[in-house]
Amino acid sequence: MDFTPTEEQQAARELAARIFGDLATHERLAAAGTGVDAELWKALCAAGLPGAVEETGLLGLVLLAEEQGRTTAQVPFTAGCVYGLLAVARHGTEEQRARLLPGLRDGTTVVTGAFPAAEGRGAVRAVAGGRLTGSVPWVPWLREATHVLVPDEHRVLWLVRTTDAGPVERVELTAPWSAGRLVLDGTPGERLGASDAPRGAAYADILAAARIAFAGLQAGVCAGSLARAVAYTSVREQFGRPLSSHQAVQMRAADAYMDTESIRVTAYEAAWRHDQGLPAAEHALTAAWWASEAGRRVVHAGQHLHGGTGADLDHPVHRHFLWGRQLDAYLGCGTELLAELGDLLAKGEAA
């Protein structure tokens, strides 16, 4: 395997880093609150970055998601690409791709996902004619989306227009992700892909891709948190020396660095396998576990290394802490992911 970015992937990453770095500033993020930074989203779409993911694949998306996470940028970029553009490109019919991909490329269509599918109570049910009933407690970026990708109780995927669903109820999360509660009551949905496609195959593929993409996002969040901690401890002095010269600080930062690299390399491997058409469910769970468990450790370390400053809710490092904890929860938390991975291994389905 080779994780070296192609020229196209590297060019897209450098462009994304420049746009995110220029526009996702602390002042603009504070002003955006829980909403989307419309100017940043417009700049990303004008630069063709959502559409570039179609060419650079899931590994390309992981690289771009890192740049979003590094700045905690308030745009539905990662969610929109994995639940919208990649999902339609890989599993949509020819007619759906022709109709939906142009809007997904230019950002006029924004898709989020009600993933993973709810178990038992609250699961979405579909009846003849593609009418959906059920609810999802919270969906990231739902308040900014034009569509939501919804798996039903049989893991069949449906695209639902947010305007056709019930009024979106605002939900406040740990991170300011513009989330909402999805309520469906006989809501019309459009099945993604052909009606004779194997049930559950597209769901499993998109769930794995989402776990990998959000692991890449967490790698960026952690890298940004650690960079802020390094900068702070290099100039903040204690007992006449920079904090960074103390062994305890160096060891805490080194542990955080190793955790961040572990998240990154497992996400890269899983994305590479996914792009190559190799079995990736086990690797997606591994990447998600590292992003959940190690990601939580890193953002706690970043906060801790800022000392009393880290307790300031207005300090930029606090955003990394909130995003890291939210991604931990969204990915499923470490113990849940390990249990699912164990079941996969026990069934002999992992590769």
Side-chain angles (χ1 to χ4, degrees), residues 5 17 35 50 65 67 80 84 86 88 128 142 157 187 195 206 238 289 308 319:
E67 300 307 323
L86 288 182
V88 172
L142 182 63
L157 298 178
T187 306
S195 59
I206 295 171
Q238 185 181 63
W289 180 83
R319 294 183 62 88

Side-chain angles (χ1 to χ4, degrees), residues 162 165-169 181 183:
T162 51
V168 174
E169 179 184 337
R181 182 171 183 262
V183 178

Side-chain angles (χ1 to χ4, degrees), residues 54 83-105 109 111 130 147-150 156-161 188-197 202 206:
E54 191 177 357
Y83 292 128
L85 192 139
L86 288 182
V88 172
R90 286 176 66 90
H91 300 288
T93 64
E94 184 176 345
E95 186 278 331
Q96 287 174 329
R97 292 195 295 270
R99 173 166 47 90
L100 296 171
L101 285 176
L104 291 166
R105 293 178 187 126
T109 300
V111 181
H147 297 71
V148 56
L149 187 63
V150 182
V156 175
L157 298 178
W158 303 87
L159 273 173
V160 176
R161 292 180 180 273
E190 176 186 357
R191 180 165 178 168
L192 181 66
S195 59
D196 59 351
I206 295 171

Side-chain angles (χ1 to χ4, degrees), residues 27-101:
E27 293 74 21
R28 291 176 61 88
L29 290 169
T34 62
V36 164
D37 185 333
E39 183 179 344
L40 172 56
W41 181 244
K42 182 179 179 180
L44 292 168
C45 296
L49 286 174
V53 172
E54 191 177 357
E55 301 297 327
T56 59
L58 185 56
L59 181 55
L61 175 55
V62 166
L63 296 172
L64 300 184
E66 275 192 78
E67 300 307 323
Q68 179 184 3
R70 201 182 304 272
T71 57
T72 62
Q74 282 294 109
V75 286
F77 182 80
T78 302
C81 287
V82 74
Y83 292 128
L85 192 139
L86 288 182
V88 172
R90 286 176 66 90
H91 300 288
T93 64
E94 184 176 345
E95 186 278 331
Q96 287 174 329
R97 292 195 295 270
R99 173 166 47 90
L100 296 171
L101 285 176

Side-chain angles (χ1 to χ4, degrees), residues 111-123:
V111 181
T112 187
F115 276 63
E119 299 286 353
R121 296 179 63 184

Side-chain angles (χ1 to χ4, degrees), residues 87-319:
V88 172
R90 286 176 66 90
H91 300 288
T93 64
E94 184 176 345
E95 186 278 331
Q96 287 174 329
R97 292 195 295 270
R99 173 166 47 90
L100 296 171
L101 285 176
L104 291 166
R105 293 178 187 126
D106 65 22
T108 55
T109 300
V110 178
V111 181
T112 187
F115 276 63
E119 299 286 353
R121 296 179 63 184
V124 173
R125 300 174 300 282
V127 298
R131 295 280 175 170
L132 307 176
T133 299
S135 64
V136 181
W138 65 272
V139 178
W141 305 107
L142 182 63
R143 303 202 306 268
E144 310 295 339
T146 60
H147 297 71
V148 56
L149 187 63
V150 182
D152 68 18
E153 58 188 339
H154 300 298
R155 302 301 192 258
V156 175
L157 298 178
W158 303 87
L159 273 173
V160 176
R161 292 180 180 273
T162 51
T163 53
D164 291 336
V168 174
E169 179 184 337
R170 185 187 186 98
V171 176
E172 297 295 341
L173 303 179
T174 301
W177 281 4
S178 191
R181 182 171 183 262
L182 180 66
V183 178
L184 305 171
D185 186 8
T187 306
E190 176 186 357
R191 180 165 178 168
L192 181 66
S195 59
D196 59 351
R199 182 177 292 182
Y203 169 81
D205 180 72
I206 295 171
L207 176 59
R211 283 170 165 162
I212 297 165
F214 280 95
L217 187 64
Q218 182 75 302
V221 169
C222 292
S225 175
L226 184 58
R228 291 190 182 279
V230 169
Y232 177 80
T233 56
S234 296
V235 298
R236 180 74 166 86
E237 292 190 356
Q238 185 181 63
F239 306 121
R241 293 191 299 163
L243 284 173
S244 59
S245 66
H246 294 273
Q247 187 179 41
V249 173
Q250 294 172 359
M251 293 178 67
R252 189 79 190 272
D255 286 342
Y257 174 79
M258 293 303 298
D259 274 337
T260 301
E261 288 301 297
S262 297
I263 299 169
R264 179 180 286 119
V265 72
T266 52
Y268 284 6
E269 180 185 9
W272 179 85
R273 292 182 64 88
H274 190 273
D275 287 341
Q276 297 297 314
L278 299 171
E282 173 190 358
H283 301 80
L285 282 165
T286 301
W289 180 83
W290 273 104
S292 175
E293 287 286 296
R296 185 173 66 250
R297 289 195 297 266
V298 173
V299 296
H300 275 264
Q303 191 101 341
H304 186 199
L305 289 173
H306 278 77
T309 303
D312 181 359
L313 302 186
D314 293 325
H315 193 278
V317 77
H318 193 65
R319 294 183 62 88

